[in-house]
Amino acid sequence: MRERLNLNIMFGKRELRPYRTGGLRPRSYNVLLFAAAAAIAWFAGCAIAPDWLAPYPPTEMSSDSLMQPPSWAHPFGTDYFGRDVLSLVVYGSRDSLFIGVASILIGGLAGGAIGAISGYIGGLTDAVFMRAVDVLMTIPGVLLALAVASALGPSLFNMAAAVSLGTIPGFARLMRGQTLGIKNRPYIVASRSVGVTRFGIYWKHVLPNSLSPLVVMATLGIGGSILTGSGLSFLGLGVLKEIPDWGELLSQGRSYLTVAWWICTFPGLAIALLVLSVNVIGDWLRDRLDPRRRGEAN
């Protein structure tokens, strides 16, 4: 008992409590959070205004600088056409980010609507919708995206739609669970007793209280969607354009890995950095939007 009291006096109770954000100290986690936000802002800037951030035009070729290693003139080196790899990474971020964000928007809206209708109406509607979701969950997301992208043909929207199909079951089950947990609470019963319509109850009470987990899941899912979209491009199912996206850059540079490692290394690092940054922000949002986790992290 005396030893426990001495430890509390020496370190304080606040320092002995476990920190929920990955075991990191609060100051270290704040630095990581700032770095993740800066990285996301950089990639967003690359997608919105690549002309301002790229040092060279992405299609500019130079026969005098074929497969040059990283240098001051070309920080990421050049490829087999003499193009600047940094400029290619900057311009390629637009398609990769579009696929990641658009697929989550499509999957979140479709899955959220299915889960909301299924959980709120219940009965036969719930059984039919959830069995369809269960069937969709039996197919691996990457395999489903591969099949749909092959059938629809190469285009950015088709790739986003193909990737979004694998995200629908997760959003649907999450939204259904949230709706089931909220629709029978006392304030919902009270609203129903005073004559509020079912649509009004859902729009004013059920939906606002169900969105926080959906936002967190969407944020965490962007990284996986970017990886899936890059994988489709790597396999040759992406859009064949003059300016390739990150997956296509990896596919083009793999043949030169032993002689020009920088061609595919830096696009791969860009994918890894973006996915890691999005996951860090998603973890922070989960701590902030969940009252139980927020209370434990303080």
Side-chain angles (χ1 to χ4, degrees):
M1 188 68 180
R2 181 178 299 176
E3 293 176 359
R4 183 180 300 176
L5 180 60
N6 291 335
L7 286 175
N8 289 336
I9 294 174
M10 185 179 298
F11 297 101
K13 287 185 177 180
R14 192 175 185 85
E15 295 298 328
L16 293 176
R17 294 171 58 187
Y19 193 68
R20 295 302 298 254
T21 48
L24 296 175
R25 293 177 298 178
R27 183 176 300 177
S28 301
Y29 185 73
N30 290 336
V31 173
L32 179 61
L33 186 64
F34 176 79
I40 293 176
W42 166 260
F43 286 118
C46 292
I48 296 173
D51 296 336
W52 295 355
L53 300 176
Y56 301 95
T59 57
E60 181 179 337
M61 304 181 186
S62 175
S63 59
D64 297 330
S65 57
L66 300 179
M67 291 192 294
Q68 294 293 318
S71 61
W72 287 110
H74 302 281
F76 287 3
T78 60
D79 65 356
Y80 40 85
F81 288 131
R83 298 176 298 182
D84 183 65
V85 176
L86 175 58
S87 301
L88 292 174
V89 170
V90 170
Y91 277 87
S93 63
R94 176 177 294 176
D95 291 348
S96 298
L97 282 173
F98 174 82
I99 293 172
V101 175
S103 61
I104 289 298
L105 287 176
I106 296 173
L109 291 175
I114 292 172
I117 295 173
S118 178
Y120 195 62
I121 296 178
L124 181 61
T125 302
D126 182 27
V128 172
F129 280 6
M130 285 300 102
R131 297 299 76 77
V133 170
D134 291 341
V135 171
L136 197 60
M137 287 186 68
T138 61
I139 307 174
V142 176
L143 182 61
L144 181 63
L146 185 64
V148 174
S150 301
L152 295 179
S155 75
L156 280 178
F157 182 79
N158 290 344
M159 288 186 64
V163 175
S164 67
L165 287 178
T167 65
I168 289 177
F171 285 110
R173 297 188 72 87
L174 176 64
M175 195 64 178
R176 175 180 178 269
Q178 289 294 116
T179 303
L180 288 174
I182 294 173
K183 72 174 185 178
N184 292 322
R185 291 183 178 177
Y187 64 90
I188 300 295
V189 177
S191 299
R192 192 180 298 120
S193 65
V194 297
V196 182
T197 62
R198 297 187 67 181
F199 178 78
I201 290 174
Y202 183 81
W203 186 256
K204 294 180 180 179
H205 301 291
V206 178
L207 182 61
N209 290 287
S210 304
L211 288 180
S212 295
L214 206 68
V215 172
V216 174
M217 186 175 183
T219 305
L220 293 172
I222 291 177
S225 297
I226 292 174
L227 285 175
T228 304
S230 299
L232 295 178
S233 298
F234 181 82
L235 295 175
L237 297 176
V239 183
L240 298 178
K241 297 169 57 178
E242 192 175 14
I243 305 174
D245 62 0
W246 289 343
E248 183 65 22
L249 286 175
L250 286 174
S251 180
Q252 294 176 2
R254 61 178 175 172
S255 302
Y256 303 90
L257 187 59
T258 57
V259 294
W261 55 267
W262 52 88
I263 298 178
C264 62
T265 298
F266 289 109
L269 290 176
I271 295 174
L273 179 60
L274 179 57
V275 172
L276 177 62
S277 301
V278 170
N279 288 338
V280 170
I281 297 298
D283 185 69
W284 175 78
L285 281 176
R286 180 179 57 187
D287 291 337
R288 291 299 174 183
L289 296 178
D290 188 346
R292 292 170 298 180
R293 295 182 64 90
R294 183 171 64 244
E296 294 174 358
N298 289 333

